[in-house]
């Protein structure tokens, strides 16, 4: 797996054992890290940023696993940031670099609602959110709904025209409740461009699903 993190295969091999991707969650497994890194590289190529910091932040951004349904969910990125700094400090990284990685990780999460304060933080946030939208976002949405025991949709009112949205019970509600809002908040120009394309894919999917219903 570390070979997919070019050109930092050696660093990735050191960090992957700490990534907490073995907790049986296919939406936050090692393939998720690889996709986020691919997004990071696509954005960094246009925007700049320190790739070494970004690699460490990518691999460790979910190093403390917190389920979507957990009351600690809003603190997941802060817990991962703290753990990442501890891991990197033990490896001999400077305090400045540890803090840069921690800062990027802390603000990547939608649930945390912490504004990114550095270029690397903006890139990681965009790269992670890109994996939550588009075709991959659709797949992850329904996968997560299945893990949480949610229904596909509310059969009497799937569009939620006469009821409040409830994305804890219905997967389809998660699109207007959260996923359709993500494209508005991207931090980088390149991230915004990719997000618009993926957002359009989600809109087409929901339109087609509702048409079939």
């Amino acid at each position: 797996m570390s070979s997919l993190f070019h050109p930092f295969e050696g660093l990735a091999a050191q960090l992957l054992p700490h990534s907490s991707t073995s907790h049986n969650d296919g939406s936050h497994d090692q393939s998720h890290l690889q996709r986020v890194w691919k997004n990071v590289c696509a954005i960094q190529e246009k925007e700049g940023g320190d790739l070494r910091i970004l690699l460490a932040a990518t691999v460790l951004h979910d190093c403390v696993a917190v389920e979507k349904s957990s009351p600690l969910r809003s603190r997941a990125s802060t817990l991962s940031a703290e753990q990442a700094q501890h891991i990197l400090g033990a490896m001999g990284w400077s305090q400045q670099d540890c803090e840069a990685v921690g800062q990027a990780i802390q603000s990547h999460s939608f649930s945390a609602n912490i504004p990114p304060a550095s270029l690397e933080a903006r890139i990681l946030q965009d790269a992670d959110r890109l994996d939550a939208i588009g075709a991959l976002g659709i797949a992850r949405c329904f996968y997560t709904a299945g893990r949480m025991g949610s229904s596909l949709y509310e059969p009497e009112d799937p569009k939620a025209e006469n009821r409040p949205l409830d994305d804890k019970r219905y997967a389809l509600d998660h699109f207007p409740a959260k996923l359709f809002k993500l494209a508005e908040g991207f931090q980088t120009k390149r991230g915004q461009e990719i997000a618009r394309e993926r957002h359009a894919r989600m809109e087409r999917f929901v339109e087609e699903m509702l048409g079939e219903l």
Side-chain angles (χ1 to χ4, degrees), residues 100-213:
V101 172
Q103 185 182 68
I105 292 174
Q106 186 177 36
S107 60
H108 87 274
S109 170
F110 183 86
S111 302
N113 195 29
I114 299 172
S118 68
L119 175 58
E120 289 76 19
R122 293 192 292 273
I123 290 173
L124 180 66
Q125 185 182 99
D126 281 5
D128 187 57
R129 292 187 183 183
L130 283 174
D131 204 47
I133 61 177
L136 285 163
I138 294 166
R140 293 179 71 203
C141 174
F142 285 99
Y143 172 88
T144 300
R147 292 185 76 241
M148 294 173 61
S150 304
S151 300
L152 294 178
Y153 58 91
E154 202 285 318
E156 299 297 326
D157 186 8
K159 295 182 182 180
E161 294 175 319
N162 299 296
R163 63 176 178 84
L165 293 168
D166 187 356
D167 59 349
K168 289 182 172 59
R169 294 183 63 191
Y170 308 113
L172 193 59
D173 283 18
H174 195 54
F175 290 87
K178 177 181 177 182
L179 300 184
F180 283 161
K181 299 175 182 178
L182 291 181
E184 300 173 357
F186 276 72
Q187 302 288 324
T188 66
K189 182 178 179 180
R190 182 57 181 147
Q192 292 166 3
E193 293 169 350
I194 303 171
R196 283 194 292 269
E197 298 172 359
R198 298 194 179 191
H199 180 84
R201 290 182 194 133
M202 291 194 301
E203 288 187 319
R204 289 194 298 270
F205 167 81
V206 170
E207 181 180 357
E208 292 180 4
M209 182 172 176
L210 289 170
E212 292 183 9
L213 296 179

Side-chain angles (χ1 to χ4, degrees), residues 49-93:
D50 188 322
L51 271 179
R52 178 173 172 265
I53 297 295
L54 284 164
L55 182 281
T58 296
V59 175
L60 298 176
H61 77 274
D62 289 325
C63 64
V64 176
V66 180
E67 285 283 355
K68 293 279 189 185
S69 56
S70 170
L72 292 175
R73 184 62 188 175
S74 64
R75 296 198 64 237
S77 64
T78 296
L79 295 172
S80 290
E82 293 171 354
Q83 178 69 2
Q85 291 183 76
H86 174 75
I87 292 166
L88 296 172
M91 291 171 57
W93 281 45

